[in-house]
Structure formats: C-alpha cells, structure tokens
C-alpha cells in the first residue's frame, strides 16, 4: 500500500472512531436539528482546513461520515431524511458528488 493510501486509510479510521465515540447524548444533540448538524459539520471542516486538508480529503471525510450516518442512524428531521434517501439511491460516483455538495453547503 502506498504511503498516501495508508495515510488516507488511517484518516478514515479516525473519522469512524470519532463518530463511534460520540456519546449518545451529544450525537442526539447534533443530529436532532439540521441547523445544529450543519453547524457541527462547519466546525469540523474548518478544523480540517486548518490541519491542511484539501477539498478532496475533506470530501472523502464527508463521504465517510455520510456513509456511517446512512448505515447507523435514522434521520431525525426532514432534511436528514432527504439526504438519507438520496444517499441510498446514489451510485458511488453520485455519492462523491453529493459529498462535495454537502461540503459546499457547510463550508
């Protein structure tokens, strides 16, 4: 495995660990309201940018989080329901585009 792929895999594992380790109460608070959810994502994107992540890396992280949420969490509001349904019917290529659009929405 190349050094870049190895780093990307580690980054993706960190994202999954972070989402997994959010306390139930905090996760509920973040996901309950769409504005709170997008504010949370905005903060994480700013942190990623400060760490030097480029748009492709941020989009990859966004895709990983979206995949996790689609698989493990039920939508809590209409906006999340729309994103959830779009994610379910999207091809991998469309998920890439949707990840970039989500990133654009919160950045």
């Amino acid at each position: 495995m190349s050094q870049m792929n190895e780093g990307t895999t580690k980054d993706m594992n960190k994202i999954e660990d972070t989402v997994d380790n959010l306390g139930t109460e905090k996760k509920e608070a973040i996901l309950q309201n769409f504005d709170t959810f997008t504010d949370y994502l905005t903060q994480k994107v700013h942190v990623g940018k400060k760490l030097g992540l480029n748009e492709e890396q941020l989009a990859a992280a966004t895709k990983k989080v979206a995949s996790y949420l689609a698989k493990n969490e039920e939508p809590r509001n209409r906006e999340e329901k729309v994103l959830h349904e779009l994610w379910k019917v999207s091809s991998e290529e469309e998920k890439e585009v949707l990840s970039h659009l989500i990133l654009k929405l919160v950045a």
Side-chain angles (χ1 to χ4, degrees), residues 15-34:
I15 291 164
E16 194 166 285
D17 290 344
T18 299
V19 175
D20 282 340
N21 290 327
L22 278 177
T24 303
E25 209 172 283
K26 182 166 182 154
K27 193 185 312 183
E28 281 299 318
I30 292 167
L31 296 174
Q32 194 63 39
N33 178 291
F34 190 69

Side-chain angles (χ1 to χ4, degrees), residues 29 37 44 62 76 92:
F37 174 64
K44 297 305 175 192
T62 301
R76 302 215 188 20
E92 284 303 309

